[in-house]
Amino acid sequence: MSVNKWIVSIACGIVFFSCASSKDIVYLQDVKENGRLESEFEYKTVIHIDDLLSIVVSCDDPEAALPFNTPMIGLGREVASTGQQSPPGYLVDKEGYIDFPVLGKLRVDGISRVELSEMLKEKLAVYLKNPIVTIQFQNFKVTVLGEVRNPGSYKVTSERVSIFDALGMAGDLQINAKRRNVLVMRENGKEKTFARLDLTSGNLVYSPFFYLQQNDVVYVEPSRGRIVGGNAGTFLPYVLSSVSTFVAVLALILR
């Protein structure tokens, strides 16, 4: 075998061993066609400290609802960098409260948006006829890091966002991402919880981390092949140079 063929064979071997197989990259591999998986838990996004809430109150008499739609000083109202005032919001303080007009301080940490809406309607019924309360998260975001095409923080307009939704916003995983061990970090008050997700398994939908909460951080590790490939890419010219020299010397000896 010529020197050039030796070099090409070794280079092909390095590339081959650094490549991932289809079993490493295909999502939900064990899900059958037309199969159905039912989640065992009820999805619910709860309000946390530092959440910014948009709360709009309306009723049969629009004039009567005005005092409940005028945030007082220091209730999370922000001014955008353009100089325009952003929509008023209620920032959940470190104790889990918001300061609502007329009603005063309300504990909202740990309850859902729907539960807060029902609580406000019950309290507002004393002042308003047929009150309607619309609540939205203004700072709902998830962060995706690691082996994705576009890592970063993404604002979510809907509070129902799955792990696949988040990865889609980040441009999907790189081909050499580790799909069987995706880390999700979640804040629960003063505690942080961690979970490892296997994106290749249909059992993923049973995880309470399948749907993300606000401020969740998703980290995708590089696969071993990616690490090896990255190192090979750095040192490959030196390796090939050494190999070519060795093969040339060997050829001279055996001639």
Side-chain angles (χ1 to χ4, degrees):
M1 184 179 292
S2 67
V3 173
N4 290 337
K5 288 183 178 180
W6 271 97
I7 297 173
V8 170
S9 298
I10 293 172
C12 290
I14 293 173
V15 173
F16 174 80
F17 285 111
S18 64
C19 291
S21 68
S22 61
K23 290 184 178 181
D24 295 324
I25 62 176
V26 177
Y27 298 132
L28 305 176
Q29 297 173 23
D30 53 358
V31 174
K32 298 179 180 179
E33 185 177 358
N34 297 323
R36 295 184 180 182
L37 296 174
E38 184 176 349
S39 179
E40 297 178 351
F41 68 95
E42 181 182 356
Y43 172 78
K44 182 174 71 172
T45 300
V46 297
I47 299 168
H48 296 300
I49 294 169
D50 292 332
D51 281 347
L52 186 63
L53 305 175
S54 167
I55 304 177
V56 178
V57 178
S58 59
C59 65
D60 293 345
D61 182 2
E63 293 289 333
L66 287 178
F68 301 97
N69 288 301
T70 306
M72 295 183 292
I73 297 174
L75 293 184
R77 202 167 194 170
E78 297 181 345
V79 178
S81 58
T82 58
Q84 296 180 343
Q85 202 170 56
S86 64
Y90 297 86
L91 185 66
V92 183
D93 66 21
K94 63 180 181 180
E95 301 298 330
Y97 289 86
I98 61 172
D99 200 352
F100 199 79
V102 181
L103 301 181
K105 280 186 170 287
L106 302 174
R107 179 70 179 268
V108 299
D109 181 34
I111 65 175
S112 70
R113 177 182 56 83
V114 175
E115 290 170 335
L116 176 56
S117 178
E118 292 299 320
M119 181 178 73
L120 286 174
K121 283 193 289 186
E122 182 179 347
K123 293 180 178 295
L124 291 171
V126 178
Y127 307 93
L128 305 174
K129 184 178 180 180
N130 298 324
I132 298 174
V133 179
T134 304
I135 302 174
Q136 291 181 318
F137 290 95
Q138 290 189 271
N139 62 342
F140 195 123
K141 67 177 178 65
V142 294
T143 301
V144 186
L145 303 173
E147 288 295 301
V148 293
R149 297 185 187 279
N150 303 301
S153 294
Y154 294 89
K155 185 175 181 180
V156 180
T157 55
S158 170
E159 63 185 73
R160 188 179 179 91
V161 54
S162 72
I163 181 69
F164 289 120
D165 293 325
L167 295 175
M169 288 185 287
D172 202 2
L173 301 181
Q174 300 279 13
I175 192 66
N176 288 311
K178 187 181 290 186
R179 287 158 170 77
R180 297 179 183 273
N181 198 34
V182 175
L183 175 67
V184 179
M185 182 180 74
R186 175 169 298 169
E187 293 186 1
N188 289 319
K190 296 181 180 180
E191 295 182 345
K192 290 181 173 62
T193 57
F194 300 86
R196 298 279 182 175
L197 303 181
D198 181 359
L199 303 184
T200 68
S201 172
N203 291 329
L204 173 66
V205 300
Y206 300 128
S207 170
F209 288 81
F210 177 73
Y211 287 107
L212 301 179
Q213 299 281 343
Q214 63 273 40
N215 301 319
D216 277 1
V217 177
V218 179
Y219 173 65
V220 183
E221 296 180 26
S223 66
R224 187 172 182 273
R226 172 71 173 88
I227 297 173
V228 172
N231 292 334
T234 301
F235 299 106
L236 187 59
Y238 305 100
V239 173
L240 292 180
S241 177
S242 300
V243 169
S244 62
T245 302
F246 172 77
V247 174
V249 172
L250 184 62
L252 289 174
I253 294 173
L254 298 177
R255 180 175 296 176

